[in-house]
Short mmCIF file of all heavy atoms in Angstrom, two decimals:
data_model
loop_
_atom_site.label_atom_id
_atom_site.label_comp_id
_atom_site.label_asym_id
_atom_site.label_seq_id
_atom_site.Cartn_x
_atom_site.Cartn_y
_atom_site.Cartn_z
N LEU A 153 37.29 -66.92 77.83
CA LEU A 153 37.19 -68.12 77.06
C LEU A 153 38.28 -69.22 77.38
O LEU A 153 37.93 -70.45 77.16
CB LEU A 153 37.33 -67.70 75.59
CG LEU A 153 36.17 -66.83 75.07
CD1 LEU A 153 36.28 -66.51 73.63
CD2 LEU A 153 34.78 -67.61 75.32
N PRO A 154 39.44 -68.88 77.76
CA PRO A 154 40.36 -70.02 78.11
C PRO A 154 39.81 -70.86 79.25
O PRO A 154 40.33 -71.99 79.42
CB PRO A 154 41.64 -69.25 78.55
CG PRO A 154 41.62 -67.97 77.76
CD PRO A 154 40.19 -67.64 77.76
N THR A 155 38.96 -70.33 80.01
CA THR A 155 38.16 -71.21 81.08
C THR A 155 36.98 -71.78 80.54
O THR A 155 36.81 -73.05 80.72
CB THR A 155 37.92 -70.24 82.28
OG1 THR A 155 39.10 -69.71 82.76
CG2 THR A 155 37.28 -71.07 83.39
N LYS A 156 36.18 -71.14 79.84
CA LYS A 156 34.91 -71.59 79.42
C LYS A 156 35.09 -72.65 78.25
O LYS A 156 34.30 -73.58 78.13
CB LYS A 156 33.94 -70.54 78.90
CG LYS A 156 33.51 -69.59 80.06
CD LYS A 156 32.62 -68.53 79.43
CE LYS A 156 32.06 -67.56 80.56
NZ LYS A 156 31.22 -66.52 80.01
N CYS A 157 36.11 -72.39 77.38
CA CYS A 157 36.24 -73.21 76.19
C CYS A 157 37.72 -73.80 76.17
O CYS A 157 38.29 -73.92 75.11
CB CYS A 157 36.07 -72.37 74.95
SG CYS A 157 34.47 -71.58 74.89
N ALA A 158 38.26 -74.19 77.32
CA ALA A 158 39.60 -74.72 77.34
C ALA A 158 39.70 -75.92 76.51
O ALA A 158 40.72 -76.00 75.74
CB ALA A 158 39.85 -75.06 78.84
N GLN A 159 38.75 -76.83 76.47
CA GLN A 159 38.67 -77.97 75.55
C GLN A 159 37.22 -78.21 75.24
O GLN A 159 36.33 -78.26 76.21
CB GLN A 159 39.28 -79.22 76.23
CG GLN A 159 40.76 -79.16 76.28
CD GLN A 159 41.33 -80.50 76.72
OE1 GLN A 159 40.66 -81.35 77.24
NE2 GLN A 159 42.67 -80.65 76.56
N PHE A 160 36.94 -78.40 74.07
CA PHE A 160 35.59 -78.70 73.64
C PHE A 160 35.60 -79.46 72.22
O PHE A 160 36.72 -79.42 71.49
CB PHE A 160 34.68 -77.48 73.48
CG PHE A 160 35.00 -76.48 72.51
CD1 PHE A 160 34.50 -76.49 71.23
CD2 PHE A 160 35.93 -75.51 72.70
CE1 PHE A 160 34.81 -75.51 70.26
CE2 PHE A 160 36.30 -74.53 71.83
CZ PHE A 160 35.66 -74.52 70.56
N THR A 161 34.49 -80.03 71.85
CA THR A 161 34.53 -80.79 70.61
C THR A 161 33.56 -80.06 69.65
O THR A 161 32.47 -79.64 70.08
CB THR A 161 33.93 -82.23 70.83
OG1 THR A 161 34.88 -82.84 71.77
CG2 THR A 161 33.97 -83.05 69.51
N SER A 162 33.90 -80.01 68.35
CA SER A 162 33.05 -79.38 67.34
C SER A 162 32.92 -80.35 66.19
O SER A 162 33.75 -81.31 66.01
CB SER A 162 33.59 -78.06 66.89
OG SER A 162 34.88 -78.25 66.24
N THR A 163 31.87 -80.16 65.44
CA THR A 163 31.61 -81.01 64.22
C THR A 163 31.73 -80.29 62.95
O THR A 163 31.10 -79.18 62.81
CB THR A 163 30.17 -81.65 64.34
OG1 THR A 163 30.02 -82.33 65.63
CG2 THR A 163 29.85 -82.62 63.28
N ASP A 164 32.55 -80.75 62.03
CA ASP A 164 32.61 -80.08 60.77
C ASP A 164 31.57 -80.35 59.83
O ASP A 164 30.62 -81.10 60.15
CB ASP A 164 34.11 -80.31 60.18
CG ASP A 164 34.17 -81.80 59.73
OD1 ASP A 164 33.22 -82.48 59.66
OD2 ASP A 164 35.38 -82.30 59.61
N VAL A 165 31.63 -79.73 58.58
CA VAL A 165 30.49 -79.83 57.63
C VAL A 165 30.37 -81.30 57.13
O VAL A 165 29.28 -81.64 56.67
CB VAL A 165 30.76 -78.89 56.48
CG1 VAL A 165 30.68 -77.54 56.92
CG2 VAL A 165 32.13 -79.18 55.83
N ASN A 166 31.38 -82.13 57.34
CA ASN A 166 31.29 -83.51 56.81
C ASN A 166 30.93 -84.45 58.01
O ASN A 166 30.96 -85.61 57.79
CB ASN A 166 32.59 -83.96 56.18
CG ASN A 166 32.93 -83.10 54.96
OD1 ASN A 166 32.04 -82.79 54.15
ND2 ASN A 166 34.17 -82.80 54.74
N GLY A 167 30.72 -83.93 59.17
CA GLY A 167 30.30 -84.76 60.24
C GLY A 167 31.53 -85.31 61.11
O GLY A 167 31.38 -86.02 62.02
N GLY A 168 32.75 -84.82 60.75
CA GLY A 168 33.90 -85.16 61.48
C GLY A 168 34.04 -84.46 62.85
O GLY A 168 33.55 -83.35 62.92
N GLN A 169 34.57 -85.12 63.76
CA GLN A 169 34.80 -84.55 65.12
C GLN A 169 36.10 -83.89 65.33
O GLN A 169 37.20 -84.52 64.86
CB GLN A 169 34.67 -85.63 66.21
CG GLN A 169 33.22 -86.31 66.18
CD GLN A 169 32.18 -85.26 66.67
OE1 GLN A 169 32.30 -84.63 67.69
NE2 GLN A 169 31.11 -85.22 65.94
N LEU A 170 36.14 -82.73 65.74
CA LEU A 170 37.39 -81.92 65.93
C LEU A 170 37.48 -81.52 67.38
O LEU A 170 36.54 -81.15 68.04
CB LEU A 170 37.36 -80.69 65.14
CG LEU A 170 37.38 -80.86 63.55
CD1 LEU A 170 37.18 -79.54 62.92
CD2 LEU A 170 38.65 -81.56 63.14
#
Side-chain angles (χ1 to χ4, degrees):
L153 296 182
T155 300
K156 295 179 178 178
C157 304
Q159 285 189 345
F160 64 95
T161 302
S162 65
T163 305
D164 63 21
V165 293
N166 297 321
Q169 297 293 309
L170 296 173

